[in-house]
Amino acid sequence: MPETISEPEEIFTLDILEPFLPGFSPPEEPHQPSGDWRLQYGLYSLGAVRGIGRRVGDFAVCRQQRGPEAFVLDIQCRRPVGPGYTSTLTAQIEAQLAPLPIPTQWFWESEILDSAGSRVPGSQLRRAAVLGNGRVEIDGKRGFAVSGPCTLNWLLFEAVGRLPRAESALPDFTLLDDFDRPKPGHNLRYDKRRTVLVGQRTVPQTQLEELPKGRIHKSVWGRTGGRPVELHAYQHTGEGIVPFLYWVDAAGRLLFAVSGLEAFVLDSFQRS
């Protein structure tokens, strides 16, 4: 039987993203999920009093392999927080390579910049953490114990690219949300496979209509373009979060991630 090709609006959560996907062009270059790469995303708010929401920021994740059993993930995020002000987040995470990557040490910094790019006084936050022997230490001053496997929320953006493209689930784990908030009882599992036609544009078209006294040319709106893409979805659920759905292409690139009223849509891909 021929493969079924779906439209984005036929699939949850791609139906929510559909207004942002006209003209979307998935990368076609080779990709090695356990190699060196950089993925750049648009960050979207899906909630609006009127309309369909809007782009509210930019997010980038850069991966570098460090030997056979470790890698480093660099995170950058920018979003406006008011007229003329931008919130920025940068982080670097060192992690052990495993189906569920385990962070060993990480650093993060956030601040608010004004329209001139200057830091707003009192807005900077800098923290560093290490994980060892079942305990997280923050700035060497405070800490907490964790039992069993644990990971950071941003490491899941990397993990889904390496997971099997088939029915599977990781053991339950503790999520270190926002770098330092332990939330036990989390799960990441394979959800489904779909072939989806993405990137279509809506354009004016001319249609012939037969009438009793002849033909007329009628202007209508129709879709054109787009490309079928094999997508695999992974679902992240657990205490204290809105569920996340990650959409990965066949090569292991994370194209879309949706959680409640927030979404990430891939802008660009680079291999290092």
Side-chain angles (χ1 to χ4, degrees), residues 33-272:
S34 59
D36 297 347
W37 44 257
R38 185 178 190 273
L39 294 170
Q40 174 83 36
Y41 297 86
L43 178 58
Y44 290 82
S45 170
L46 304 179
V49 176
R50 296 180 180 177
I52 58 173
R54 59 192 177 90
R55 184 167 179 150
V56 295
D58 301 281
F59 175 80
V61 54
C62 181
R63 185 190 193 278
Q64 290 185 308
Q65 187 72 16
R66 294 285 176 86
E69 298 181 353
F71 66 92
V72 173
L73 212 65
D74 287 293
I75 300 294
Q76 294 180 323
C77 185
R78 295 173 60 91
R79 67 173 81 196
V81 290
Y85 294 92
T86 302
S87 173
T88 69
L89 169 70
T90 59
Q92 185 174 85
I93 307 163
E94 297 182 19
Q96 296 175 358
L97 185 61
L100 181 74
I102 306 300
T104 53
Q105 57 183 352
W106 57 100
F107 162 85
W108 70 103
E109 178 179 7
S110 63
E111 59 186 2
I112 297 175
L113 305 178
D114 62 20
S115 57
S118 299
R119 180 189 305 147
V120 174
S123 68
Q124 186 183 42
L125 172 69
R126 295 170 61 93
R127 293 286 187 272
V130 295
L131 171 63
N133 298 319
R135 184 172 177 82
V136 175
E137 297 287 345
I138 310 293
D139 290 337
K141 300 176 182 178
R142 63 183 179 90
F144 51 85
V146 291
S147 59
C150 67
T151 196
L152 296 167
N153 52 334
W154 298 122
L155 284 174
L156 298 180
F157 277 65
E158 187 273 345
V160 292
R162 295 184 290 102
L163 292 178
R165 314 280 184 262
E167 193 67 34
S168 59
L170 294 175
D172 284 359
F173 59 90
T174 295
L175 181 74
L176 303 179
D177 198 14
D178 289 333
F179 302 106
D180 62 355
R181 299 179 184 178
K183 297 178 178 180
H186 281 245
N187 182 263
L188 181 65
R189 63 177 179 82
Y190 186 84
D191 187 68
K192 54 181 168 280
R193 176 192 182 276
R194 296 288 186 273
T195 299
V196 185
L197 185 63
V198 297
Q200 294 186 95
R201 294 183 183 274
T202 302
V203 298
Q205 299 177 343
T206 299
Q207 186 179 82
L208 285 176
E209 184 173 349
E210 298 285 350
L211 297 176
K213 295 186 178 181
R215 296 177 177 178
I216 64 170
H217 292 268
K218 184 178 180 180
S219 293
V220 298
W221 290 96
R223 289 184 172 181
T224 186
R227 178 164 64 87
V229 178
E230 179 184 318
L231 296 177
H232 299 262
Y234 299 85
Q235 188 176 75
H236 171 206
T237 57
E239 298 179 14
I241 67 161
V242 178
F244 247 100
L245 203 64
Y246 300 91
W247 289 95
V248 175
D249 69 10
R253 271 178 295 252
L254 177 63
L255 301 187
F256 317 115
V258 185
S259 176
L261 298 179
E262 185 173 74
F264 300 79
V265 177
L266 183 67
D267 277 340
S268 64
F269 159 71
Q270 290 179 312
R271 286 186 295 165
S272 301

